[in-house]
Structures are given as structure tokens and as C-alpha cells.
Amino acid sequence: MSTSVASRLSRAVPIPVGAGLARMIVERNLTSFRHAWMTLVTGFAEPVFYLFSLGIGLGALIKDVTTDGGTTVPYAVFVAPALLASSAMNGAIFDSTFNVFFKLKYSKLYDSVLATRMGPRDIALGELGWSLLRGTFTRWRSCWWPGSPAPSSRGGP
């Protein structure tokens, strides 16, 4: 991914008033993330393995589930949306906890950033924006699963 693409994508993230340089943190994370693309693959493989173990393995014991509306669905179809949601949540939590700790404690990235015009608010909003962008991407990617219902039919965004 070139720097110009990362710059355009970081400008697309809505930034609140007073945090104009937060997009630089998002751009930096996006640029460095191109070397860590394997986390996206593992973020996709995790719910697939869970679906195989819970949906198919446990689904052999639990045949059908009756929903609140009275419809009967197979267990794998019943549990798949929750596994997709947990995958998106795990990806965003990983970025907003462990990565921030690593950048603060070991790589001393925030010490370098604070030596520039950026302040703590820019860092916080930039990291939150990056977590939201990653969570949105993970959620968007999970909607492309074969057989998963459209987001509007689940009653949520």
C-alpha cells in the first residue's frame, strides 16, 4: 500500500474538532499495518475454526434452535453471527490494548510522537480512530462469509 493511499484513507476517518493531527497516527498505523497483514488472515481464520468446532461439532449434538420469533434454525446458522461479532471485537480490542501497551512500553513510539506538534489528545484519538477503522474492516470482511445473512436482516448495523 503506497503512502498516498494510506494518506487518503486516513483522511476519510472522521476526526473531532481539536484533534487535527490524530489522522497522522491513523496514517502511521495504516502504513505499518501493511507489514502485519497476517493478523487479518488470522482474524478471518479464528471464527472459521470456531464455527467448525462449535457449529459443526457441537451442532451434531444440538440439531436445531428455536429463536424468540418461533422459527427453527440449524445451530451453525444460529451461532455464526455471534462468532463473526466476536472476531470483530477481538481485532479491535487487540489493537486498542496490546498494541498501545507495546508502543508505550517497549518501542517508545509515543515519546517520539510527543516530541512533535502532536499532543496526548491527538495520540488518543488517533489510536481510537485506528481501532474503529480496523474493527469496521473486520466487520465488513466478515459480512462476505458465504451463507451469512446481510447486516440489515440481523437488526443491527
Side-chain angles (χ1 to χ4, degrees):
M1 180 180 305
S2 70
T3 305
S4 63
V5 172
S7 177
R8 282 186 276 152
L9 191 56
S10 69
R11 287 187 187 111
V13 175
I15 301 295
V17 176
L21 295 176
R23 71 177 174 84
M24 295 303 201
I25 296 289
V26 175
E27 184 177 345
R28 182 249 171 230
N29 288 341
L30 187 62
T31 304
S32 68
F33 193 68
R34 67 182 171 162
H35 299 292
W37 58 269
M38 187 57 95
T39 57
L40 289 178
V41 174
T42 59
F44 179 73
E46 175 189 4
V48 170
F49 291 141
Y50 283 145
L51 186 62
F52 281 139
S53 64
L54 292 176
I56 296 172
L58 193 58
L61 299 174
I62 304 171
K63 298 293 183 191
D64 293 328
V65 175
T66 304
T67 63
D68 291 340
T71 59
T72 303
V73 294
Y75 181 72
V77 173
F78 178 75
V79 78
L83 294 174
L84 295 177
S86 69
S87 171
M89 183 184 70
N90 286 341
I93 285 178
F94 175 75
D95 270 341
S96 63
T97 55
F98 179 73
N99 283 346
V100 170
F101 173 73
F102 180 81
K103 291 173 189 174
L104 182 68
K105 178 92 171 156
Y106 297 109
S107 72
K108 307 284 187 198
L109 177 75
Y110 299 138
D111 293 340
S112 311
V113 169
L114 288 174
T116 65
R117 296 185 310 150
M118 290 188 212
R121 182 178 182 166
D122 295 322
I123 293 172
L125 290 175
E127 289 295 341
L128 284 174
W130 171 246
S131 293
L132 289 172
L133 188 66
R134 170 113 190 265
T136 302
F137 177 72
T138 305
R139 170 72 169 103
W140 172 78
R141 173 205 37 135
S142 66
C143 289
W144 289 95
W145 268 30
S148 67
S152 60
S153 68
R154 289 186 210 152

